[in-house]
Amino acid sequence: MSGRITSVDVIRSSPEIIYAGSASGGLWKSESGGLSWEPIFDSELPLSIGAVTLSQKNPDVIWVGTGEGNPRNSLTGGYGVYKSIDAGMTWQLMGLEKTRNIHRIIIHPDDPNTVFVGAIGSPWGDHEERGVYKTTNGGETWEKILYVDQMTGVADMVMDPSNPDKILVNMWQHRREPWFFTSGGPSSGLYMTLDGGKTWTKQTPEKNGLPEGDLGRMGLAFAENKPNRVYALIEAKKNALYQSNDGGHTWKMVNNKSEIGNRPFYYFDIYVDPTNENRLYTIFSNVNVSEDGGKSFERLIPNGLIHVDNHALYINPDDPKYMILGNDGGLHITRDMGKTWQFVENLPLSQYYHIAVDNELPYNVYGGMQDNGTWTGPAYKWVSGGLRNDYYQPLLCGDGFDALPDIDDSRYGYAMSQQGNVVRYDKLTGNTKSVKPMHPDPDMKLRFNWNSPIAQDPFDNNVIYFGSQFVHRSPDKGDSWDVISPDLSTNDTTKQRQNESGGLTIDATGAENHTTVLAIEPSPVEQGVIWAGTDDGNLQITRDGGQTWTNVIKNIKGVPAGSWIPQIRASKYNKGEAVVVINNYRRFDFKPYVFMTKNYGKSWESLVDEEDVFGYALSFIQDPVEPNLMFLGTEHGLYISLDGAKNWTKFNNGYPNVSTMDLAIQERESDLVIGTFGRAIYVLDDIQPLRVLAKNGQNDVLKSAVTLVPTKTAYQVSSRAGNGQRHPGSATFAGENRPYGFAEIKFFANTEMDDNAKKKQKAKIEILDMNGNLVRDFESNIENGLNVARWRFDENAPEQEDASNQGGISRFLRQGTPALPGTYKVKVTVNGESDETSLEYKTDPREDISMEVLVAKREMLKQIGEVSREVASMSSKLAEDLKTVQSVLDALKGKNGEEYAELKKKSNETKKELEEIQALIGSSSRGFWGSSDGPTPLISHVFSAMRSVSGTNDMPGRTQKMLMERIEKQQAEVQQKMDSWYTSNWNAYLNAVKAVNFSPIGSK
């Protein structure tokens, strides 16, 4: 479950160092040959990478062009070109922000300050910031050295490996519209410069042997070992592979069969083995290889081994068996020239279109990914370690879109792939049943968007909705359907020519289906109210369950007609209230549009503008508990408002600047679940601190000494080891798991460092029962802002003498008795001011545990605790006196004379006798189990009794009672031996020390 890789480069002198750029998930670096990876570009504004190129002369110099260069319907834009001079630790934006999409970068092999940037530009509109740009001063200034027109950009650019002044460039005329794609035209062409870009020559059929007519996209490649050999994949009326043997001046067609590649709008690249000019690879849906200079190709990778749809290939120039392939599924590495492949599973680059949650405990997340199907898996698990890939289950193949778990039983639900193909699934068996709607009129052709909408009725769990150009309603979970609307789109027939889409090469996959319903949203507070948005700018509402519909888009001011409406959020608070997300980037308008109505669409208020956020709007959700708390996802990140959209704040704190495609709130657990288009799924655990800020005002909360956050229900659960390998190494992905085994107490504090004490102040945490009796209290270090303390469901331990000298033993033996499940009061005090809330603590929901058992366990653990505290006190006494003896021995070092020798002998004997008693108890120096050549220490038996009782949810039985009797008997025996020894020996030893003119132990 990775995602689209667009560009790869490797340090030639250190081939284990790999840089991989992704379509919308940033730039990643491996220093281990692809075993482990780190993101190195997350702090920059755009995470769509079109090109990454290293200076092989100085590999610390890296250039990155942002904005993916493969103009499919889901591409993401960039924001200029970036440079690092420290191997990716820091980055500097070097300009060219308006290019939007950069597909190629070439660094001069002898001069890292000379760089050529190939800007393909945005496919969504005409603009002049396209073509080839050159800098000779490391990016301080740029010169546009090749430009054709506002529709034509760089599809490929290659440099002659023997002559850095010679460059070939394919300028590609293309345009993507929401409803159509056009590749090719008179502005496309192949250009050559022989003087580093000062002058260019456009090649022609007559002089150079190129195909006649309009041209489109090309893939270009020089043979490194024989630079006069050049290859060009050329899109034309008949797509073909061309070969040149004079360095690209003249060409001949060598292959025009389908084996050369397909879908040139998405991939059309050719690569030559650096050591063999006749071995070349064409990457497209598949990867084919030729051994005869392109005259014939064979498939390199069999079906099912790795993902398809390939975009980038790196071939090591010193070892061509070592190759790295990037495609829609992620990154793949071979070291035997393609015979076997390693899939890099720890690059979390999934591109989610939608996100959903169920109400299981722990709950699951659901979502569909670009070209990677629809999946579900846990938001967290009660297991050790992180969340591994194999915890997640595929529900449906193809491009994944929305998923909808059945509210009645989340074993079942709905998932879809492109063009309205929706199924009802069974997670347990894997069975799927097609429930795609039909129209009662067999002559009515339904138009389903590439990303069709599905919605659950809030009042009837059996009712779901689905969108074509109509809204379809199923009363029986998809078994049958009724059409409850007219055509809600504009039904503009000029935008319904999808079968002709593609330009020179037809590519009619459904991605350009248009004039369709894109969003359906029933009101959760008013039955019969349903909202619907279309991809051609209509915003419809019905208030009578679909009998009549009203288009209210004309009431929204400032939105261009025909804009895309991907999301509507009906209010959970008020009737007639809704928020609509609109974007228009598909027509080269990158402004954010988010509006709210409170009167069924009669009037609208804008919630955001370009001054508030960076990037067009993609998603929105309002907190169901605190209406002032709102979340907004844009092309470049997540924003939060605490005041009802008056102000927006960018949220990072570990969250990257990624396209934030969809948002869901798991209401029971107050979690914000985020579906990103490029970095998989994020969960913001517990948004209740944000609710406190939104409800009480951020400034007031942060000025108060202490403000408690409402707690989440806490569970004392059993756990197990994670699935799979216990020690999985560095190449396995593990998402962050939620910690467990305690209750979190969150609070805001306002305090400063205590400069005099040179330590931070502390908060006092008190856990009380509902009658006000103290159960547990402890202190917690605090900082200004949000703090988190943890209560491990224990009571205070009875007071006893200090056992600090026993370290680990004391830590285990002085624990308090477990508290019983129930509701408690929490009180937090900072600087004399307090705040209170309640906390509910429950047992493991997967087990049926009676209160009778818990009380019996508690009573036995109390008995064990009494013994353990006696043991801790004994151990502490021995440890203190051993320190006394050791201090005498230390002081005797270097002293001579009979009396000193006698005292030294007496001290060693005393030390040995004390250690023998200590061994009966156990000590940290011997480990809790004691030595292998003596009796099992008392501590070991105490721990065994503790584990036997606390490690199960069964009633204590005969075994536990026997263990209890054993430790009581053994403790009494050791205590008797210890008391007897002290009576006979300790005072005599102290007197012997005092009798010598020598007092290392003071007055003892």
Side-chain angles (χ1 to χ4, degrees):
M1 298 180 294
S2 190
R4 191 157 70 244
I5 295 292
T6 55
S7 184
V8 178
D9 206 357
V10 175
I11 297 178
R12 184 168 183 172
S13 59
S14 300
E16 73 281 1
I17 300 179
I18 308 169
Y19 295 86
S22 64
S24 52
L27 179 66
W28 294 70
K29 180 180 182 179
S30 173
E31 297 182 346
S32 56
L35 288 177
S36 63
W37 295 82
E38 292 293 334
I40 60 171
F41 203 71
D42 282 6
S43 61
E44 307 312 314
L45 285 173
L47 289 193
S48 177
I49 308 299
V52 54
T53 304
L54 314 176
S55 169
Q56 297 296 340
K57 185 173 184 178
N58 180 5
D60 285 346
V61 176
I62 311 168
W63 285 83
V64 168
T66 62
E68 181 184 7
N70 297 302
R72 69 164 299 114
N73 58 330
S74 61
L75 94 162
T76 302
Y79 192 70
V81 65
Y82 291 75
K83 176 185 177 182
S84 174
I85 58 173
D86 52 17
M89 289 190 288
T90 61
W91 296 91
Q92 183 178 356
L93 174 61
M94 305 307 297
L96 307 184
E97 295 90 338
K98 293 183 179 181
T99 57
R100 293 292 303 180
N101 296 79
I102 293 172
H103 193 46
R104 293 288 187 261
I105 296 176
I106 296 175
I107 302 174
H108 194 287
D110 302 318
D111 179 12
N113 286 318
T114 297
V115 181
F116 301 86
V117 171
I120 190 171
S122 172
W124 297 115
D126 295 347
H127 63 107
E128 294 183 353
E129 295 80 15
R130 304 177 186 267
V132 179
Y133 293 81
K134 180 180 180 180
T135 180
T136 56
N137 53 19
E140 293 181 14
T141 59
W142 295 93
E143 179 186 1
K144 189 191 296 187
I145 60 173
L146 179 61
Y147 173 75
V148 177
D149 59 33
Q150 294 188 18
M151 291 183 64
T152 307
V154 175
D156 208 354
M157 178 173 66
V158 292
M159 178 181 283
D160 186 331
S162 63
N163 179 6
D165 286 332
K166 180 181 176 182
I167 301 173
L168 286 172
V169 176
N170 166 225
M171 296 295 287
W172 178 28
Q173 179 183 336
H174 65 288
R175 166 59 63 81
R176 178 168 285 286
E177 296 168 294
W179 53 87
F180 207 77
F181 183 78
T182 304
S183 176
S187 295
S188 294
L190 180 60
Y191 291 79
M192 176 185 286
T193 180
L194 299 174
D195 53 16
K198 295 177 182 177
T199 60
W200 294 85
T201 301
K202 183 178 182 181
Q203 298 193 350
T204 66
E206 297 79 15
K207 291 184 179 180
N208 308 99
L210 296 183
E212 299 280 352
D214 288 344
L215 303 180
R217 185 173 183 175
M218 302 179 190
L220 308 171
F222 281 93
E224 185 171 326
N225 68 313
K226 189 177 180 180
N228 280 337
R229 174 71 62 84
V230 193
Y231 294 94
L233 273 175
I234 300 179
E235 183 186 19
K237 292 181 180 179
K238 179 67 174 177
N239 297 345
L241 174 66
Y242 287 75
Q243 183 188 104
S244 172
N245 287 294
D246 58 6
H249 291 279
T250 61
W251 302 87
K252 64 177 181 179
M253 192 273 286
V254 294
N255 194 329
N256 62 3
K257 300 175 185 177
S258 61
E259 65 189 17
I260 65 171
N262 61 4
R263 308 188 74 194
F265 89 95
Y266 197 29
Y267 25 61
F268 214 50
D269 292 313
I270 196 85
Y271 296 84
V272 187
D273 184 321
T275 65
N276 183 349
E277 72 278 8
N278 290 312
R279 180 181 295 130
L280 59 155
Y281 300 88
T282 173
I283 65 170
F284 53 108
S285 298
N286 304 314
V287 178
N288 287 354
V289 59
S290 172
E291 299 286 352
D292 56 11
K295 296 175 184 177
S296 64
F297 284 87
E298 293 183 354
R299 186 163 181 176
L300 179 67
I301 306 171
N303 274 330
L305 184 62
I306 62 174
H307 206 285
V308 296
D309 292 350
N310 301 284
H311 304 283
L313 180 66
Y314 166 81
I315 307 172
N316 186 279
D318 303 309
D319 177 13
K321 292 182 178 181
Y322 171 31
M323 298 188 289
I324 303 174
L325 179 66
N327 55 36
D328 277 16
L331 198 71
H332 312 265
I333 300 173
T334 179
R335 299 183 185 275
D336 55 15
M337 203 171 282
K339 294 178 182 178
T340 59
W341 292 86
Q342 169 204 345
F343 168 56
V344 177
E345 70 161 89
N346 51 349
L347 283 174
L349 303 173
S350 305
Q351 296 178 308
Y352 277 89
Y353 287 104
H354 292 279
I355 205 72
V357 297
D358 63 22
N359 211 37
E360 292 184 18
L361 185 62
Y363 70 91
N364 298 295
V365 296
Y366 299 75
M369 296 177 279
Q370 192 275 325
D371 206 19
N372 279 280
T374 303
W375 293 73
T376 183
Y380 61 95
K381 283 181 75 71
W382 289 321
V383 299
S384 60
L387 298 176
R388 300 181 180 180
N389 284 338
D390 60 1
Y391 292 161
Y392 296 83
Q393 174 185 350
L395 300 173
L396 192 65
C397 297
D399 278 73
F401 296 102
D402 215 346
L404 194 66
D406 191 324
I407 294 176
D408 293 324
D409 185 352
S410 59
R411 169 179 170 178
Y412 306 97
Y414 313 90
M416 72 180 72
S417 58
Q418 55 266 50
Q419 299 195 69
N421 290 303
V422 59
V423 302
R424 180 170 170 83
Y425 60 76
D426 179 340
K427 284 198 296 185
L428 182 62
T429 67
N431 180 62
T432 58
K433 171 187 176 181
S434 176
V435 293
K436 185 175 182 177
M438 298 176 62
H439 196 279
D441 179 357
D443 296 327
M444 175 60 68
K445 182 179 180 181
L446 295 180
R447 300 189 302 274
F448 293 99
N449 194 273
W450 180 255
N451 181 358
S452 300
I454 191 170
Q456 173 70 57
D457 188 276
F459 299 94
D460 187 340
N461 292 349
N462 292 313
V463 174
I464 57 172
Y465 302 92
F466 201 77
S468 57
Q469 68 267 47
F470 309 103
V471 173
H472 303 260
R473 179 184 184 274
S474 173
D476 48 20
K477 300 192 176 188
D479 287 340
S480 62
W481 294 91
D482 299 305
V483 177
I484 63 167
S485 79
D487 186 334
L488 297 182
S489 73
T490 62
N491 195 24
D492 184 344
T493 57
T494 65
K495 299 175 182 177
Q496 296 172 8
R497 300 183 297 114
Q498 288 76 34
N499 290 337
E500 304 170 16
S501 181
L504 287 171
T505 307
I506 299 298
D507 195 274
T509 62
E512 288 79 29
N513 286 4
H514 204 63
T515 61
T516 65
V517 174
L518 197 59
I520 300 173
E521 177 78 348
S523 168
V525 297
E526 186 174 5
Q527 193 166 9
V529 172
I530 307 171
W531 295 86
T534 72
D535 55 16
D536 57 353
N538 283 349
L539 179 57
Q540 307 270 8
I541 181 175
T542 178
R543 299 178 64 179
D544 51 20
Q547 296 181 43
T548 59
W549 292 80
T550 303
N551 188 4
V552 297
I553 191 64
K554 63 181 181 298
N555 300 329
I556 303 181
K557 309 304 179 185
V559 175
S563 295
W564 195 269
I565 302 179
Q567 195 173 82
I568 306 166
R569 296 286 193 181
S571 173
K572 293 180 178 290
Y573 298 98
N574 303 309
K575 295 180 179 180
E577 188 171 292
V579 172
V580 60
V581 176
I582 302 173
N583 55 57
N584 196 39
Y585 70 88
R586 292 170 180 84
R587 296 185 299 172
F588 207 63
D589 172 11
F590 303 103
K591 297 176 183 177
Y593 299 106
V594 183
F595 295 86
M596 173 182 278
T597 182
K598 297 182 178 180
N599 54 14
Y600 302 95
K602 294 177 183 177
S603 61
W604 297 83
E605 175 189 3
S606 176
L607 299 185
V608 67
D609 59 39
E610 289 180 281
E611 302 301 319
D612 299 322
V613 302
F614 180 62
Y616 49 80
L618 291 169
S619 57
F620 172 92
I621 197 166
Q622 182 179 30
D623 181 50
V625 174
E626 175 46 57
N628 281 329
L629 178 58
M630 297 176 176
F631 302 91
L632 174 65
T634 77
E635 179 192 18
H636 298 296
L638 175 68
Y639 292 81
I640 299 176
S641 176
L642 301 175
D643 55 11
K646 294 177 183 176
N647 296 281
W648 292 96
T649 301
K650 182 76 172 289
F651 179 81
N652 287 113
N653 194 28
Y655 183 77
N657 297 321
V658 65
S659 290
T660 302
M661 193 65 75
D662 200 11
L663 304 166
I665 292 176
Q666 214 293 335
E667 297 188 17
R668 181 191 66 229
E669 306 208 18
S670 303
D671 289 351
L672 177 68
V673 183
I674 309 169
T676 78
F677 201 74
R679 289 294 285 274
I681 298 172
Y682 279 74
V683 178
L684 180 56
D685 284 333
D686 193 9
I687 60 173
Q688 292 187 103
L690 297 174
R691 289 174 178 165
V692 170
L693 296 176
K695 179 180 180 179
N696 301 326
Q698 183 173 357
N699 290 335
D700 290 343
V701 170
L702 297 181
K703 288 178 181 178
S704 298
V706 59
T707 304
L708 259 168
V709 175
T711 60
K712 296 171 67 169
T713 300
Y715 295 90
Q716 176 68 286
V717 297
S718 302
S719 64
R720 61 173 177 82
N723 293 358
Q725 293 291 329
R726 185 180 295 272
H727 308 293
S730 302
T732 300
F733 175 77
E736 186 177 355
N737 199 3
R738 180 184 298 179
Y740 51 88
F742 47 80
E744 287 194 329
I745 301 165
K746 299 179 180 179
F747 58 96
F748 291 94
N750 179 15
T751 186
E752 300 292 338
M753 289 285 292
D754 186 340
D755 293 330
N756 294 325
K758 295 185 178 179
K759 64 179 181 179
K760 292 185 177 180
Q761 296 185 13
K762 297 178 180 291
K764 182 179 181 181
I765 315 295
E766 296 173 274
I767 312 295
L768 307 102
D769 64 24
M770 297 310 289
N771 294 321
N773 300 310
L774 181 66
V775 174
R776 182 79 166 93
D777 64 341
F778 56 94
E779 291 186 334
S780 177
N781 290 331
I782 55 176
E783 297 179 349
N784 284 325
L786 183 64
N787 295 267
V788 181
R790 291 174 171 177
W791 175 47
R792 297 188 177 275
F793 312 120
D794 59 333
E795 298 179 352
N796 280 336
E799 294 293 331
Q800 73 170 57
E801 295 179 7
D802 177 57
S804 59
N805 290 322
Q806 280 299 294
I809 292 176
S810 174
R811 191 165 60 248
F812 284 98
L813 296 184
R814 300 182 68 218
Q815 292 178 348
T817 304
L820 292 174
T823 302
Y824 293 84
K825 295 179 182 178
V826 178
K827 181 179 179 182
V828 177
T829 303
V830 176
N831 288 338
E833 296 188 32
S834 301
D835 197 11
E836 296 185 6
T837 189
S838 62
L839 186 156
E840 186 178 19
Y841 148 43
K842 293 183 177 182
T843 57
D844 195 323
R846 300 165 297 178
E847 299 185 69
D848 185 12
I849 307 171
S850 70
M851 186 60 71
E852 181 185 9
V853 169
L854 294 173
V855 170
K857 285 179 57 179
R858 169 189 169 87
E859 290 306 312
M860 182 161 282
L861 286 170
K862 274 187 176 181
Q863 295 177 48
I864 297 172
E866 291 173 2
V867 175
S868 69
R869 283 185 288 277
E870 290 294 332
V871 173
S873 179
M874 294 162 63
S875 184
S876 178
K877 168 67 175 169
L878 289 166
E880 185 65 28
D881 290 343
L882 277 167
K883 284 177 60 178
T884 297
V885 176
Q886 187 61 48
S887 68
V888 173
L889 288 168
D890 291 342
L892 287 169
K893 291 178 180 178
K895 294 187 180 296
N896 300 313
E898 183 177 345
E899 62 177 351
Y900 293 124
E902 184 64 27
L903 181 58
K904 182 176 180 181
K905 177 182 177 182
K906 182 68 173 177
S907 295
N908 282 322
E909 291 172 349
T910 301
K911 179 180 178 182
K912 180 181 177 182
E913 291 167 358
L914 285 172
E915 287 177 340
E916 287 173 351
I917 299 173
Q918 187 184 55
L920 297 176
I921 298 173
S923 70
S924 57
S925 63
R926 293 177 179 266
F928 294 149
W929 297 98
S931 63
S932 60
D933 57 351
T936 302
L938 176 56
I939 289 174
S940 176
H941 288 306
V942 172
F943 288 161
S944 294
M946 282 182 176
R947 284 193 296 268
S948 182
V949 177
S950 63
T952 177
N953 289 316
D954 295 331
M955 180 72 75
R958 288 177 58 196
T959 298
Q960 287 72 38
K961 291 177 183 178
M962 289 174 62
L963 287 168
M964 186 69 236
E965 291 170 357
R966 178 191 295 175
I967 63 172
E968 288 178 331
K969 180 181 178 181
Q970 188 179 4
Q971 188 271 330
E973 291 174 349
V974 175
Q975 183 73 65
Q976 191 276 329
K977 290 181 180 180
M978 183 173 167
D979 291 345
S980 176
W981 184 90
Y982 269 94
T983 300
S984 302
N985 298 285
W986 185 242
N987 286 334
Y989 172 69
L990 295 180
N991 290 332
V993 174
K994 293 174 182 177
V996 179
N997 185 20
F998 170 73
S999 301
I1001 57 174
S1003 61
K1004 290 184 180 180

